[in-house]
Amino acid sequence: MSSWSEERRRNLAAEAEQRRKNKDADAERSRKEREAEDKRRRDERRKDRDEARAEKAQRRREKAQRRQARAAKREKTLTPGNVYKRGTLLLVALSALASLPAQVLHFVAIHWMLFPIGPAVEGAAWVMAAGTAYADERKLSPWVRWLLRVLSLSAAAFAANINYQYGLSLTEHGVSESNARVAGLGLAAVTLGGPLFFEVRQWVLTLSASTADPKKQAEQKARAKHEKQRRKVFKDIVARQEQLMLAAPYGTLKSEDAFARAWWDVEGAPLGVTANVIADRLDAEADVSAVLAEAERTPERVAVELLLADIFGPEGGDGGSSGTSTATPSGGPRGGTPEGRTALGGKGKRPVRSTADTEASKPLAEADLEAVRKLAAALGGVHRLSARNVREAVGCRNEYALRLRDAVRAEKPEENK
């Protein structure tokens, strides 16, 4: 019996311990849930505060942007140009409102059926003024613009005269004569001044548009001057250019490309080059070649060559074992010409004949002369021969080319002019 009671007590104690643990677990779980809920609420409140601050900052930025936009718009609207353009339109509108009732009353006083005449006369002045502005915008012929101006001012002058007469007629309604005259002059002034103000506004806008980009305007003037000068100097080439532009499909050939092709067709050479330019260049090259060939034979060089020839003897001579010359030099300071003498070919050895001396003493071959004659015919005359083109045609050295050129030129002296 005692064992059962003991077992029962132990079971009750275990159940009580288990209930306590469960209660503690529930309490811990409830505590954690409360903490999690509190944290979630804190996060939500923090998030709400952040969103509220962001929205407030965004509203401040939008407000600042709107303020800046209004300031920029106000600054743009109140520029002198906009004030002038809008102010002129306002002045024109006031002029029309002041002059039109007098027109209507004047003609209605005559007969009620004449009511449309007043708006028609006043409207004619404004329609012609608008036509002048449209003609300026479309850059029509000057006579069209001036015709519209004359028509506009004529209608305005007629309306101004009617308004002046109406102002004088106010004396019939008890207005003093001086006041009636002032009223007539005022009506005439606003009637004529409205179209005049609008016309002056149009002139100012046209002139300001033409001077809006001075650099572009200067470029257009320079381009027009260049085109005019080109047509004056190169008439045949410009005519050929226009022919090419007309022959090609529209828009496929550029003007400058057509001019370059026309230059080649007329002058037979690249752009900017003519037959006279080629001839002058060839003559200049020939002169330079001659000067360079002559410059190779300075007095000092001739003296050195003669000295070396005296010491070592000329090439092919029989100076013997002593190496002295057995012949007297035939050039330089001793009375001859320096042909056939050159500097040493090596270090302290004896002088040798250069290729230039060989070319100078070489007889002119008939085949080479014939080649140079054909070259002269192809170039258009012997006066266009130069050492360079002869050298390139024959394939020889400069001295031989000079001799060939001079020989062919000597055959036709009348073409050397």
Coordinates of all heavy atoms in Angstrom, one line a residue, residues 33-81:
E33 N 6.2 36.4 -28.1 CA 5.2 37.0 -29.1 C 4.9 38.4 -28.8 O 4.8 39.2 -29.8 CB 3.9 36.2 -29.0 CG 4.0 34.8 -29.5 CD 2.7 34.0 -29.3 OE1 1.8 34.5 -28.7 OE2 2.6 32.8 -29.8
R34 N 4.9 38.8 -27.5 CA 4.7 40.2 -27.2 C 5.9 41.0 -27.7 O 5.7 42.1 -28.2 CB 4.5 40.4 -25.7 CG 3.1 40.0 -25.2 CD 2.8 40.5 -23.8 NE 3.8 40.0 -22.9 CZ 3.8 38.9 -22.2 NH1 2.7 38.1 -22.4 NH2 4.7 38.5 -21.3
E35 N 7.1 40.5 -27.4 CA 8.3 41.2 -27.9 C 8.3 41.4 -29.4 O 8.6 42.4 -30.0 CB 9.5 40.5 -27.4 CG 9.8 40.6 -25.9 CD 11.0 39.8 -25.5 OE1 11.6 39.2 -26.4 OE2 11.4 39.9 -24.3
A36 N 7.9 40.3 -30.1 CA 7.9 40.3 -31.6 C 6.9 41.3 -32.1 O 7.1 42.1 -33.0 CB 7.6 39.0 -32.2
E37 N 5.7 41.3 -31.4 CA 4.6 42.3 -31.8 C 5.1 43.7 -31.5 O 4.8 44.6 -32.3 CB 3.4 42.0 -31.0 CG 2.2 42.9 -31.3 CD 1.7 42.7 -32.7 OE1 2.0 41.6 -33.3 OE2 1.0 43.6 -33.2
D38 N 5.7 43.9 -30.3 CA 6.2 45.3 -30.0 C 7.3 45.7 -31.0 O 7.3 46.9 -31.5 CB 6.8 45.3 -28.6 CG 5.8 45.1 -27.5 OD1 4.6 45.3 -27.8 OD2 6.1 44.7 -26.4
K39 N 8.2 44.8 -31.4 CA 9.2 45.1 -32.4 C 8.6 45.5 -33.8 O 9.0 46.4 -34.4 CB 10.2 44.0 -32.5 CG 11.4 44.2 -33.5 CD 12.3 43.1 -33.5 CE 13.5 43.4 -34.4 NZ 13.1 43.6 -35.7
R40 N 7.5 44.7 -34.1 CA 6.9 44.9 -35.4 C 6.2 46.3 -35.4 O 6.3 47.0 -36.4 CB 5.8 43.8 -35.7 CG 5.1 44.0 -37.0 CD 4.1 42.9 -37.2 NE 3.1 43.0 -36.2 CZ 2.0 43.8 -36.3 NH1 1.9 44.6 -37.3 NH2 1.1 43.8 -35.3
R41 N 5.6 46.6 -34.2 CA 4.9 47.9 -34.2 C 5.9 49.0 -34.2 O 5.7 50.1 -34.8 CB 4.1 48.0 -32.9 CG 2.8 47.1 -32.9 CD 2.1 47.1 -31.6 NE 0.9 46.3 -31.6 CZ 0.1 46.1 -30.6 NH1 0.3 46.7 -29.4 NH2 -1.0 45.3 -30.7
R42 N 7.1 48.8 -33.5 CA 8.1 49.9 -33.5 C 8.6 50.0 -35.0 O 8.9 51.2 -35.4 CB 9.2 49.5 -32.6 CG 8.9 49.7 -31.1 CD 10.2 49.6 -30.2 NE 10.9 48.4 -30.4 CZ 10.7 47.3 -29.7 NH1 9.7 47.3 -28.7 NH2 11.4 46.2 -29.8
D43 N 8.8 48.9 -35.6 CA 9.3 49.0 -37.0 C 8.3 49.7 -37.9 O 8.7 50.6 -38.8 CB 9.6 47.6 -37.6 CG 10.8 47.0 -36.9 OD1 11.6 47.7 -36.3 OD2 10.9 45.7 -37.0
E44 N 7.0 49.4 -37.7 CA 6.0 50.1 -38.5 C 6.0 51.6 -38.2 O 5.8 52.4 -39.2 CB 4.6 49.4 -38.2 CG 4.5 48.0 -38.8 CD 3.1 47.5 -38.5 OE1 2.3 48.1 -37.8 OE2 2.8 46.4 -39.0
R45 N 6.1 51.9 -36.9 CA 6.1 53.3 -36.6 C 7.3 54.0 -37.1 O 7.2 55.2 -37.7 CB 6.0 53.5 -35.0 CG 4.7 53.2 -34.4 CD 4.6 53.7 -33.0 NE 5.5 53.1 -32.1 CZ 5.3 51.9 -31.4 NH1 4.1 51.4 -31.5 NH2 6.2 51.4 -30.6
R46 N 8.5 53.4 -37.1 CA 9.7 53.9 -37.6 C 9.5 54.1 -39.2 O 9.9 55.1 -39.7 CB 10.9 53.1 -37.3 CG 12.2 53.7 -37.7 CD 13.4 52.8 -37.4 NE 13.4 52.4 -36.0 CZ 13.2 51.2 -35.5 NH1 12.8 50.2 -36.4 NH2 13.3 51.0 -34.2
K47 N 8.9 53.1 -39.8 CA 8.7 53.1 -41.2 C 7.8 54.3 -41.6 O 8.0 55.0 -42.6 CB 8.2 51.8 -41.7 CG 8.1 51.7 -43.2 CD 7.6 50.3 -43.7 CE 7.5 50.3 -45.2 NZ 7.0 48.9 -45.6
D48 N 6.7 54.4 -40.8 CA 5.8 55.5 -41.1 C 6.4 56.8 -40.9 O 6.2 57.8 -41.7 CB 4.6 55.4 -40.1 CG 3.7 54.1 -40.4 OD1 3.8 53.6 -41.5 OD2 3.0 53.7 -39.5
R49 N 7.3 57.0 -39.9 CA 8.0 58.3 -39.7 C 8.9 58.5 -40.8 O 9.0 59.7 -41.3 CB 8.8 58.2 -38.3 CG 7.9 58.3 -37.1 CD 8.7 58.7 -35.9 NE 9.7 57.6 -35.6 CZ 9.5 56.6 -34.9 NH1 8.3 56.4 -34.3 NH2 10.5 55.7 -34.6
D50 N 9.6 57.5 -41.3 CA 10.5 57.7 -42.4 C 9.8 58.1 -43.7 O 10.2 59.0 -44.4 CB 11.3 56.4 -42.7 CG 12.3 56.1 -41.6 OD1 12.6 57.0 -40.8 OD2 12.7 54.9 -41.5
E51 N 8.6 57.4 -43.9 CA 7.8 57.7 -45.1 C 7.3 59.2 -45.0 O 7.2 59.9 -46.0 CB 6.7 56.7 -45.2 CG 7.1 55.3 -45.6 CD 6.0 54.4 -45.7 OE1 4.8 54.8 -45.4 OE2 6.2 53.2 -46.2
A52 N 6.9 59.5 -43.7 CA 6.4 60.9 -43.6 C 7.5 61.9 -43.8 O 7.2 63.0 -44.5 CB 5.8 61.1 -42.1
R53 N 8.7 61.6 -43.3 CA 9.8 62.6 -43.6 C 10.1 62.6 -45.1 O 10.4 63.7 -45.6 CB 11.0 62.1 -42.8 CG 11.0 62.5 -41.3 CD 12.3 62.4 -40.6 NE 12.8 61.0 -40.7 CZ 12.6 60.1 -39.7 NH1 11.9 60.5 -38.6 NH2 13.1 58.9 -39.7
A54 N 10.1 61.5 -45.7 CA 10.4 61.4 -47.2 C 9.4 62.2 -48.0 O 9.7 63.0 -48.9 CB 10.5 60.0 -47.7
E55 N 8.1 62.0 -47.6 CA 7.0 62.7 -48.3 C 7.1 64.3 -48.0 O 6.9 65.1 -48.9 CB 5.7 62.3 -47.8 CG 5.3 60.8 -48.2 CD 4.0 60.4 -47.7 OE1 3.4 61.1 -46.9 OE2 3.6 59.2 -48.0
K56 N 7.5 64.6 -46.8 CA 7.7 66.0 -46.5 C 8.8 66.6 -47.3 O 8.7 67.7 -47.8 CB 7.9 66.2 -45.0 CG 7.9 67.6 -44.5 CD 8.0 67.7 -43.0 CE 8.0 69.1 -42.5 NZ 8.1 69.2 -41.1
A57 N 9.9 65.9 -47.4 CA 11.1 66.3 -48.1 C 10.7 66.4 -49.6 O 11.2 67.4 -50.3 CB 12.3 65.4 -47.9
Q58 N 10.0 65.4 -50.1 CA 9.6 65.5 -51.5 C 8.7 66.7 -51.8 O 8.8 67.3 -52.8 CB 8.8 64.2 -51.9 CG 8.4 64.1 -53.3 CD 9.5 64.1 -54.3 OE1 10.6 63.7 -53.9 NE2 9.3 64.5 -55.5
R59 N 7.8 67.0 -50.8 CA 6.9 68.2 -51.0 C 7.7 69.4 -51.0 O 7.5 70.4 -51.8 CB 5.9 68.2 -49.9 CG 4.8 67.2 -50.1 CD 3.6 67.5 -49.2 NE 3.9 67.5 -47.8 CZ 3.8 66.4 -47.0 NH1 3.3 65.2 -47.5 NH2 4.2 66.4 -45.7
R60 N 8.8 69.5 -50.1 CA 9.6 70.7 -50.1 C 10.4 70.8 -51.5 O 10.5 71.9 -52.0 CB 10.6 70.6 -49.0 CG 10.0 70.9 -47.6 CD 11.1 71.2 -46.6 NE 12.0 70.1 -46.4 CZ 11.9 69.1 -45.5 NH1 10.9 69.1 -44.7 NH2 12.8 68.2 -45.4
R61 N 10.9 69.7 -52.0 CA 11.6 69.7 -53.3 C 10.7 70.1 -54.4 O 11.1 71.0 -55.3 CB 12.2 68.4 -53.6 CG 13.5 68.0 -52.7 CD 14.2 66.9 -53.3 NE 13.4 65.6 -53.3 CZ 13.4 64.8 -52.3 NH1 14.2 65.0 -51.2 NH2 12.7 63.7 -52.3
E62 N 9.5 69.6 -54.4 CA 8.5 69.9 -55.5 C 8.2 71.4 -55.4 O 8.0 72.1 -56.4 CB 7.3 69.1 -55.4 CG 7.5 67.6 -55.7 CD 6.3 66.8 -55.6 OE1 5.3 67.3 -55.0 OE2 6.3 65.6 -55.9
K63 N 8.0 71.9 -54.1 CA 7.7 73.3 -54.0 C 8.8 74.2 -54.5 O 8.6 75.2 -55.1 CB 7.4 73.6 -52.5 CG 6.9 75.0 -52.2 CD 6.6 75.1 -50.7 CE 6.1 76.6 -50.4 NZ 5.8 76.7 -49.0
A64 N 10.1 73.8 -54.1 CA 11.2 74.5 -54.6 C 11.3 74.5 -56.1 O 11.6 75.5 -56.8 CB 12.5 74.0 -54.0
Q65 N 11.0 73.3 -56.7 CA 11.1 73.2 -58.2 C 10.0 74.1 -58.8 O 10.3 74.8 -59.8 CB 10.9 71.8 -58.6 CG 12.1 70.9 -58.2 CD 11.9 69.4 -58.6 OE1 10.8 69.1 -59.0 NE2 12.9 68.6 -58.4
R66 N 8.8 74.1 -58.2 CA 7.8 75.0 -58.8 C 8.1 76.4 -58.7 O 7.9 77.2 -59.6 CB 6.4 74.7 -58.1 CG 5.8 73.3 -58.4 CD 4.4 73.3 -58.0 NE 4.3 73.4 -56.5 CZ 4.3 72.3 -55.7 NH1 4.3 71.1 -56.2 NH2 4.2 72.5 -54.4
R67 N 8.8 76.8 -57.5 CA 9.2 78.2 -57.3 C 10.2 78.5 -58.4 O 10.2 79.6 -59.0 CB 9.7 78.3 -55.9 CG 10.0 79.8 -55.6 CD 10.6 79.9 -54.2 NE 9.8 79.4 -53.2 CZ 10.1 78.3 -52.5 NH1 11.2 77.6 -52.7 NH2 9.3 77.8 -51.5
Q68 N 11.2 77.6 -58.6 CA 12.2 77.9 -59.6 C 11.6 78.0 -61.0 O 12.0 78.8 -61.8 CB 13.3 76.8 -59.6 CG 14.2 76.8 -58.3 CD 15.1 75.7 -58.2 OE1 15.2 74.8 -59.2 NE2 15.9 75.6 -57.2
A69 N 10.7 77.1 -61.3 CA 10.0 77.1 -62.6 C 9.3 78.4 -62.8 O 9.3 79.0 -63.9 CB 9.1 75.9 -62.8
R70 N 8.6 78.9 -61.8 CA 7.9 80.1 -61.9 C 8.8 81.3 -62.1 O 8.6 82.2 -62.9 CB 7.0 80.4 -60.7 CG 5.8 79.5 -60.6 CD 4.8 80.1 -59.5 NE 5.4 80.1 -58.2 CZ 5.3 79.1 -57.3 NH1 4.6 78.0 -57.7 NH2 5.8 79.1 -56.2
A71 N 10.0 81.2 -61.3 CA 11.0 82.3 -61.5 C 11.6 82.3 -62.9 O 11.8 83.3 -63.5 CB 12.1 82.1 -60.4
A72 N 11.9 81.1 -63.4 CA 12.4 81.0 -64.8 C 11.4 81.5 -65.8 O 11.8 82.2 -66.8 CB 12.9 79.6 -65.1
K73 N 10.2 81.1 -65.6 CA 9.2 81.5 -66.6 C 9.0 83.0 -66.5 O 8.8 83.7 -67.5 CB 7.8 80.8 -66.2 CG 6.7 81.1 -67.2 CD 5.5 80.3 -66.9 CE 4.4 80.6 -67.9 NZ 3.1 79.9 -67.5
R74 N 9.0 83.5 -65.3 CA 8.8 85.0 -65.1 C 10.0 85.7 -65.8 O 9.8 86.7 -66.4 CB 8.7 85.3 -63.6 CG 8.4 86.8 -63.4 CD 8.0 87.0 -61.9 NE 9.0 86.5 -61.0 CZ 8.8 85.4 -60.3 NH1 7.6 84.7 -60.4 NH2 9.7 84.9 -59.4
E75 N 11.2 85.2 -65.5 CA 12.4 85.8 -66.1 C 12.3 85.7 -67.6 O 12.7 86.7 -68.3 CB 13.6 85.1 -65.6 CG 14.9 85.7 -66.1 CD 16.1 85.0 -65.5 OE1 16.0 84.1 -64.7 OE2 17.3 85.4 -65.9
K76 N 11.9 84.6 -68.2 CA 11.8 84.4 -69.6 C 10.7 85.3 -70.2 O 10.8 85.9 -71.3 CB 11.5 83.0 -69.9 CG 11.5 82.7 -71.4 CD 11.3 81.2 -71.7 CE 11.3 80.9 -73.2 NZ 11.1 79.5 -73.5
T77 N 9.6 85.4 -69.4 CA 8.5 86.2 -69.9 C 8.8 87.7 -69.9 O 8.4 88.5 -70.8 CB 7.2 86.0 -69.1 OG1 7.0 84.6 -69.1 CG2 6.0 86.7 -69.6
L78 N 9.6 88.1 -68.9 CA 9.8 89.6 -68.8 C 11.1 90.0 -69.4 O 11.7 91.1 -69.1 CB 9.9 89.9 -67.3 CG 8.6 89.7 -66.5 CD1 8.8 90.0 -65.0 CD2 7.5 90.5 -67.1
T79 N 11.6 89.3 -70.4 CA 12.8 89.7 -71.2 C 12.4 90.9 -72.0 O 11.2 91.1 -72.4 CB 13.3 88.6 -72.1 OG1 12.2 88.1 -72.9 CG2 13.8 87.5 -71.2
P80 N 13.3 91.8 -72.4 CA 12.9 93.0 -73.2 C 12.2 92.6 -74.5 O 11.3 93.3 -74.9 CB 14.3 93.6 -73.5 CG 15.1 93.2 -72.3 CD 14.7 91.8 -72.0
G81 N 12.7 91.5 -75.1 CA 12.1 91.1 -76.4 C 10.6 90.7 -76.2 O 9.7 91.1 -77.0

